[in-house]
Amino acid sequence: KTLALLLPLLESVTRAVEHRPSAACTALLLAPSDVLVEQHAATARTLLAGLDPPVELDCDTGASLTGVGGLLEDASRVPSLLVATAAGARRRLEASGGAGREWAARLAAVAIDEADAVLCGRPHDTALRPDADALLDALPAGTQHLLATAFLTSEHEVALTRRFRRAVRVSEHSTAGQRGVMVPTLRQLFRYLGPGASRETALLSALRSAEDDPWLREGTTMIFCEPAAAAAVHGRLVAEMPQLRAALLCEGAAAPEGSAEAVARFASGEARALVCTAAAARGLDFPRLRHVLLFDMPKDVAGFVHSAGRTARRGKEGLVTCLVESGAEVGRFRQLHALLPARALEFSAAPAS
C-alpha cells in the first residue's frame, strides 16, 4: 500500500524535475500519526536514493520538521515531496513569507493514507471534520488525490464520496471464499478470564504460552490496550518477562523512550513485544510480527481490522489472541472477524477526477 501511494507521487515529481525544473511541482503524502509519517518517509528515502537530479524530501509531523539530513528549523522551504500529518501540512501552508502559498501552488498530487482517520470524524459521521475540509479547501482545485484505507464504514464512504464526487473506487476483498476469516492465514484464539481473574495475569499466561511455541517465539508480539492501561501493562511485562524487552508506544504516557526509538527497537527485533494503543494499529508494518494480543476489545469493526491486520500480512501466517470474559464477548469477536464474503477485485466505471 505504501508503494501504491508513493510511486505515483514520485513519478509526478521526478518527471517535473527532469523536464521542467523551473516549474517543478510538489507532492504531499498525508498519514494520521507521527510514527506512520516516519515509516512512509523512510520508504520514500530508500526510493529516492541515487536519483539524479535529486528529489528533496521533508517529513513534518506538526511538532517537528525533519529532512534527509535530520531535524530542520525552517518550515518555509519548498520540498519536492512532503510526508506529513494533517497538522504538519497546515504548518507548511501557514509558513511565513509566502512560502506556504508557493508550495501549495506547485502541488500536483496528494496521497492520503488511512483516509478515514485523516479526514473523517466519529465512525457514524457522514461529513468530514471541519479541519479536514479546511485543509482540502486550501489546496489547489486541480490537485489529484489518491486515498487509501483498509476499512471504510458506510457513513465515512458517504462523507468521502460527497467531497470527491468524481473519484474512481478500487476495492479488494479476501479471497478466502468463506465467512469467519479476515484473511485465510490469520488464526484467532480466545483465552477466557475466570470469575474475578486479573486481565494482566491472563495476558502474562498468554505470553508464556506463546513463548513455548517455537514459531511464535521466533517472531514479535503487539499488545493493544486502552491508553489508561498501557503503562501499567508495560511495567508488568518489564518486571515479570524481561526476556521480551518490551517497548511502549502510547502518546501521553510516561514512556522510558520516545515513539521513534520504541518503533525502531521493535522493528529490528531488539524489543520482542510492543505495548501500544489503537493509534499504532493504523498502517504500521512490522515484518517480524507474528502475534497480536488484544488486551482490550476494539470498539468497532475498523478497530479490529486495523489491530488484527498488523499480522498475517502478504500471505504470511499470523495469530490474534483475544482476552474474553464471556460467551457474548466471544460472539462479538467472531462477528468482527467475519467481515464479508469473498469478492473479486472491483473497478468502478466512474470517471477519474
Side-chain angles (χ1 to χ4, degrees), residues 5 33 38 75 89 94 103 111 153 158 161 177 185 240 250 252 267 330-331 348:
L5 292 169
S33 67
E38 290 161 0
E94 295 164 1
W103 170 74
T153 67
V158 168
T161 301
T185 55
E240 301 196 30
C250 179
V330 171
S348 80

Side-chain angles (χ1 to χ4, degrees), residues 59-303:
C59 170
D60 197 332
T61 63
S64 64
L65 172 65
T66 58
V68 175
L71 189 68
L72 301 171
E73 298 295 336
D74 184 8
S76 66
R77 297 162 67 251
V78 184
S80 299
L81 174 63
L82 176 66
V83 185
T85 59
R90 284 194 293 270
R91 181 168 86 155
R92 179 70 61 169
L93 287 166
E94 295 164 1
S96 61
R101 291 190 299 274
E102 180 186 353
W103 170 74
R106 294 185 185 182
L107 199 61
V110 177
I112 307 177
D113 192 14
E114 306 297 344
D116 56 326
V118 174
L119 302 176
C120 301
R122 294 168 297 184
H124 301 294
D125 287 350
T126 57
L128 299 188
R129 297 196 315 271
D131 62 313
D133 261 329
L135 175 59
L136 293 172
D137 287 341
L139 304 179
T143 304
Q144 187 177 37
H145 295 82
L146 178 62
L147 281 60
T149 185
F151 182 83
L152 197 61
T153 67
S154 57
E155 292 86 354
H156 285 174
E157 184 173 2
V158 168
L160 292 171
T161 301
R162 284 175 175 168
R163 177 75 201 201
F164 303 99
R165 295 184 180 276
R166 300 177 60 210
V168 175
R169 172 171 173 163
V170 179
S171 56
E172 185 177 11
H173 301 280
S174 169
T175 57
Q178 58 183 336
R179 283 183 175 271
V181 288
M182 198 166 73
V183 294
T185 55
L186 178 64
R187 294 183 294 124
Q188 189 173 20
L189 175 67
F190 300 104
R191 293 187 68 93
Y192 285 90
L193 279 66
S198 162
R199 192 169 284 267
E200 289 183 12
T201 301
L203 168 68
L204 292 170
S205 175
L207 290 171
R208 290 183 178 120
S209 295
E211 285 287 274
D212 294 333
D213 184 315
W215 182 79
L216 288 176
R217 193 170 59 244
E218 289 178 358
T220 57
T221 300
M222 286 184 83
I223 302 159
F224 284 95
C225 309
E226 290 291 329
V233 168
H234 177 258
R236 190 85 181 264
L237 289 185
V238 169
E240 301 196 30
M241 297 189 72
Q243 72 273 24
L244 296 180
R245 301 182 294 277
L248 174 62
L249 180 60
C250 179
E251 293 183 8
E257 57 192 342
S259 60
E261 291 80 2
V263 169
R265 283 209 304 126
F266 186 65
S268 69
E270 194 276 322
R272 294 178 49 217
L274 179 67
V275 179
C276 55
T277 63
R282 291 278 186 164
L284 292 177
D285 184 32
F286 299 108
R288 300 172 187 267
L289 183 63
R290 295 184 175 179
H291 189 195
V292 167
L293 204 154
L294 301 180
F295 182 83
D296 290 307
M297 185 174 177
K299 294 181 171 59
D300 49 37
V301 175

